[in-house]
C-alpha cells in the first residue's frame, strides 16, 4: 500500500515540477468549452447541453493526461526501473491510478468554476457524486488501456479510439445523471448505481489484468 | 476430426439454409400487437435476428477464448478469439444494416436511439477497437496478450451498456411489436429453422476462418525457417 503511494508521489512530483500536463489538460478543457459554446449558441437553452459540454471536456482532457502517463515512463526506460521494484505489478497500477486521479480531479476542479464563469448553470453540490464516480471509472479503465496503448505501434494515438468504446456505458450514465441534475431532477439513484457497478468492476478487472499489460 | 466436422457442417448448413430461405418467403405474414398484418419487409426478421444472435455468440467466444489465452498462454486460443471477433464484427455490421432497412419500413426512420439498437452500436465500436488493437500491436505475443485483455474488458461492458442506454429518457418505438408477432406454428418453425441454419453457417465460417488463420501461421513459420535456417 505504501509502495503505491510512493509511485503516485513520484508521478505527482515529476508533474508538479513542470506542470506541463496539467496545463495542457486545462487549456484543452477550456478550449472545448469555448468551441461548444460557439457551436451551440443558437440552441437557446443552455441547460440542455451543459452536461454534454462538461463531460466532453472532462473526457478529452483526461485522455490527454492519461495517454501521457505511460509514455513518460517509456522515455529513458523508466518503466524498466518500475518493473524492477520489488512490488506487485498491481501496486504499480494502483499508484498510477492515484496520480492520474489526482491530476484529473485538479483539472475538473478548475474547469467547473470556469464553466460557471462562462454562464453555464451547474449545481456543483448535487453533481459532486456523479463527477467523482464518473472520474474514478474513467481513470480506472483509462490507466489500464493507456498502458496497453503505449505498447502498440500507434502509441498514445490509439488511446481515445479504444478507451471511449469501453467508457460508453459509464458516459451514458454520467451524462444522463448530470442532465437530470442540471435540469432540477434529483432522482438519479439508478444512474449512480450503474456508475458504482462500473467503477467496482473496472477497478477489480484492471487490478488483476494489469500484469498482463505491463509485462514485456 | 475437424475436417469431418466441417464436412458434416457444410451439408447441414446447405440443407437448412435452403429450407429456411424457402420457408422465409412462404411463411404466413406476421401480425403486430394490434392484429394488423405487417408489410412483407418483416421477412428480413428471419435474417436479422440470427445475425444479431450470431454476433453475440461470436463475442462470447472472444470472451471465453481471451480468458483461456491469459490462463494457458496457448496461441490456439488467440486464434479462436481473433477469428470470432472478425466474424462477430461482420455480423454486427450486417445486423445494423438489416435492422436499418427494416426500421425504415416499420418505424419510418433508419435509426432510432433505442436501447437495443444503441447497445449493438456500442458493441460494434468495442470490437472494431479490438481489431484495431490487433492490427497495431508490435509483435505476435503482445498482440495476443493485449487483445485478450481488451476482449475481456469489452465483453463486461455489454451488460453495463444495456443498462446504461435503457436509462435514457425519451420515447422510443416499442420493440415488443415484433416479438408479439411470433405466433402460430408456421412462423415459429420458420424462425427456429433460420436460427439453426444461420448458427450452423456462422460456426462453419468460424471453423474455416480458423483453418485459414492456422495456415497463415504455418506459412509464416516456414518463411522464417527458410530465411534464417
Amino acid at each position: 500500500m505504501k509502495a503505491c503511494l510512493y509511485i503516485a508521489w513520484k508521478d505527482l512530483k515529476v508533474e508538479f515540477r513542470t506542470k506541463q500536463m496539467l496545463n495542457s489538460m486545462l487549456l484543452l478543457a477550456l478550449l472545448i468549452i469555448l468551441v461548444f459554446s460557439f457551436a451551440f449558441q443558437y440552441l437557446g437553452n443552455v441547460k440542455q447541453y451543459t452536461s454534454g459540454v462538461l463531460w466532453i471536456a472532462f473526457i478529452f482532457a483526461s485522455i490527454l493526461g492519461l495517454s501521457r502517463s505511460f509514455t513518460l515512463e517509456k522515455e529513458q526506460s523508466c518503466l524498466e526501473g518500475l518493473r524492477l521494484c520489488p512490488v506487485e505489478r498491481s501496486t504499480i497500477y494502483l499508484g498510477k491510478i492515484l496520480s492520474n486521479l489526482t491530476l484529473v480531479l485538479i483539472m475538473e476542479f478548475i474547469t467547473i468554476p470556469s464553466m460557471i464563469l462562462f454562464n453555464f448553470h451547474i449545481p456543483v453540490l448535487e453533481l459532486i457524486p456523479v463527477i467523482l464516480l464518473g472520474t474514478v471509472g474513467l481513470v480506472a479503465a483509462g490507466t489500464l488501456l493507456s498502458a496497453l496503448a503505449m505498447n502498440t505501434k500507434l502509441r498514445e494515438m490509439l488511446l481515445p479510439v479504444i478507451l471511449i468504446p469501453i467508457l460508453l456505458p459509464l458516459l451514458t450514465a454520467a451524462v444522463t445523471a448530470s442532465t437530470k441534475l442540471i435540469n432540477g431532477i434529483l432522482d438519479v439513484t439508478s444512474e449512480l448505481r450503474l456508475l458504482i457497478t462500473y467503477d467496482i468492476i473496472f477497478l477489480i478487472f484492471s487490478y488483476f489484468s494489469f500484469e498482463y499489460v505491463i509485462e514485456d | 476430426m475437424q475436417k469431418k466436422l466441417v464436412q458434416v457442417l457444410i451439408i447441414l448448413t446447405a440443407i437448412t439454409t435452403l429450407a429456411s430461405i424457402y420457408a422465409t418467403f412462404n411463411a404466413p405474414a406476421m401480425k403486430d400487437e394490434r392484429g394488423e398484418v405487417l408489410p412483407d419487409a418483416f421477412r428480413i426478421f428471419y435474417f436479422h435476428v440470427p445475425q444479431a444472435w450470431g454476433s453475440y455468440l461470436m463475442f462470447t467466444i472472444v470472451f471465453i477464448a481471451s480468458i483461456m489465452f491469459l490462463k494457458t498462454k496457448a496461441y490456439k486460443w488467440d486464434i479462436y478469439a481473433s477469428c470470432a471477433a472478425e466474424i462477430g464484427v461482420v455480423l454486427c455490421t450486417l445486423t445494423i444494416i438489416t435492422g436499418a432497412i427494416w426500421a425504415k419500413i416499420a418505424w419510418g426512420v433508419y435509426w432510432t436511439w433505442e436501447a437495443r439498437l444503441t447497445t449493438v452500436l456500442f458493441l460494434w465500436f468495442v470490437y472494431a477497437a479490438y481489431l484495431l488493437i490487433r492490427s497495431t500491436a508490435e509483435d505476435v505475443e503482445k498482440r495476443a496478450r493485449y487483445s485478450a485483455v481488451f476482449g475481456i474488458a469489452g465483453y463486461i461492458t455489454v451488460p453495463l451498456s444495456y443498462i446504461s442506454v435503457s436509462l435514457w429518457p425519451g420515447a422510443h418505438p416499442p420493440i415488443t411489436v415484433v416479438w408479439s408477432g411470433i405466433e402460430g406454428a408456421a412462423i415459429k418453425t420458420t424462425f427456429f429453422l433460420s436460427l439453426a441454419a444461420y448458427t450452423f453457417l456462422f460456426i462453419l465460417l468460424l471453423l474455416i476462418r480458423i483453418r485459414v488463420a492456422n495456415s497463415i501461421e504455418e506459412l509464416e513459420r516456414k518463411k522464417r525457417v527458410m530465411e534464417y535456417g
Side-chain angles (χ1 to χ4, degrees):
Chain A
M1 195 60 218
K2 216 172 167 190
C4 83
L5 286 179
Y6 276 126
I7 292 171
W9 182 242
K10 164 205 78 90
D11 275 359
L12 291 175
K13 217 162 153 186
V14 170
E15 174 54 35
F16 279 102
R17 253 177 221 153
T18 59
K19 299 183 202 63
Q20 283 171 342
M21 210 55 247
L22 201 57
N23 287 340
S24 36
M25 277 160 81
L26 261 174
L27 280 178
L28 182 65
L30 294 179
L31 280 170
I32 288 170
I33 293 167
L34 178 81
V35 170
F36 275 90
S37 302
F38 278 127
F40 291 155
Q41 59 184 329
Y42 299 112
L43 272 183
N45 191 353
V46 181
K47 282 184 181 178
Q48 282 175 353
Y49 59 85
T50 306
S51 79
V53 177
L54 186 80
W55 281 101
I56 289 171
F58 285 175
I59 291 293
F60 283 95
S62 309
I63 286 177
L64 191 69
L66 286 167
S67 62
R68 192 71 188 138
S69 136
F70 280 94
T71 37
L72 202 68
E73 303 285 2
K74 201 91 180 173
E75 283 166 19
Q76 300 172 350
S77 312
C78 294
L79 200 61
E80 309 298 322
L82 260 186
R83 269 202 290 258
L84 282 174
C85 291
V87 291
E88 296 265 321
R89 300 274 190 260
S90 36
T91 315
I92 303 178
Y93 172 69
L94 286 184
K96 280 287 176 189
I97 278 205
L98 279 181
S99 61
N100 284 336
L101 195 62
T102 317
L103 288 181
V104 172
L105 283 177
I106 294 174
M107 178 272 291
E108 293 175 348
F109 188 72
I110 305 177
T111 307
I112 293 175
S114 353
M115 280 185 80
I116 294 173
L117 180 77
F118 290 137
N119 218 5
F120 284 94
H121 169 76
I122 297 174
V124 181
L125 280 181
E126 286 92 335
L127 270 179
I128 282 177
V130 177
I131 291 176
L132 276 182
L133 288 171
T135 312
V136 170
L138 165 69
V139 172
T143 307
L144 177 77
L145 293 183
S146 150
L148 195 156
M150 164 198 74
N151 281 311
T152 61
K153 282 181 208 149
L154 286 180
R155 310 249 171 242
E156 60 264 42
M157 306 293 283
L158 189 65
L159 184 62
V161 198
I162 61 173
L163 179 58
I164 295 176
I166 295 287
L167 286 179
L168 283 172
L170 177 101
L171 279 180
T172 32
V175 173
T176 316
S178 316
T179 311
K180 277 187 182 172
L181 290 172
I182 288 167
N183 288 293
I185 304 165
L186 292 176
D187 179 32
V188 288
T189 33
S190 47
E191 282 89 352
L192 286 182
R193 209 179 296 144
L194 181 67
L195 287 176
I196 292 170
T197 320
Y198 186 97
D199 290 0
I200 292 172
I201 289 177
F202 265 87
L203 281 173
I204 293 173
F205 172 71
S206 319
Y207 185 83
F208 287 110
S209 60
F210 193 65
E211 59 174 307
Y212 297 111
V213 171
I214 202 166
E215 79 186 29
D216 219 28
Chain B
M1 171 58 205
Q2 218 200 12
K3 215 168 180 184
K4 199 99 193 206
L5 185 67
V6 169
Q7 282 167 353
V8 172
L9 260 177
I10 287 177
I11 297 166
L12 261 178
T13 311
I15 297 169
T16 49
T17 36
L18 282 177
S20 95
I21 290 172
Y22 177 81
T24 297
F25 290 103
N26 286 289
M30 247 187 231
K31 291 185 180 119
D32 68 6
E33 54 196 356
R34 291 184 300 274
E36 279 170 41
V37 175
L38 291 175
D40 245 355
F42 83 90
R43 290 178 202 278
I44 207 168
F45 168 82
Y46 298 119
F47 301 99
H48 176 73
V49 177
Q51 282 160 4
W53 140 251
S55 67
Y56 280 119
L57 178 73
M58 291 302 153
F59 296 148
T60 311
I61 293 175
V62 175
F63 176 63
I64 295 168
S66 298
I67 293 177
M68 290 310 288
F69 174 78
L70 289 183
K71 252 181 145 174
T72 61
K73 301 269 167 173
Y75 280 94
K76 65 170 187 187
W77 292 112
D78 177 53
I79 291 178
Y80 295 166
S82 65
C83 297
E86 275 178 26
I87 298 172
V89 170
V90 171
L91 291 180
C92 202
T93 315
L94 284 174
T95 309
I96 293 172
I97 295 172
T98 50
I101 296 171
W102 190 16
K104 180 71 182 168
I105 292 156
W107 301 334
V109 283
Y110 285 112
W111 186 267
T112 157
W113 295 102
E114 186 268 345
R116 197 177 294 256
L117 274 67
T118 315
T119 321
V120 171
L121 189 66
F122 283 12
L123 264 184
W124 189 88
F125 277 113
V126 167
Y127 287 91
Y130 176 93
L131 294 182
L132 193 65
I133 289 178
R134 291 193 70 86
S135 67
T136 57
E138 276 170 345
D139 58 55
V140 180
E141 198 268 334
K142 275 183 184 166
R143 183 179 74 187
R145 208 148 29 85
Y146 294 163
S147 58
V149 170
F150 193 82
I152 300 169
Y155 196 76
I156 48 185
T157 57
V158 174
L160 294 173
S161 306
Y162 198 80
I163 305 168
S164 78
V165 290
S166 54
L167 295 176
W168 238 332
H172 304 296
I175 211 138
T176 46
V177 169
V178 179
W179 291 106
S180 62
I182 312 183
E183 274 169 7
I187 290 179
K188 267 191 186 138
T189 320
T190 314
F191 174 64
F192 286 111
L193 183 64
S194 324
L195 203 58
Y198 293 110
T199 310
F200 288 142
L201 178 67
F202 302 149
I203 292 173
L204 182 65
L205 279 178
L206 180 65
L207 290 178
I208 293 173
R209 181 69 186 82
I210 289 170
R211 210 153 78 178
V212 172
N214 280 330
S215 308
I216 292 173
E217 201 86 328
E218 204 180 317
L219 198 68
E220 292 287 318
R221 205 164 40 237
K222 287 197 172 142
K223 247 193 214 159
R224 273 200 297 273
V225 171
M226 274 172 73
E227 270 171 29
Y228 304 110

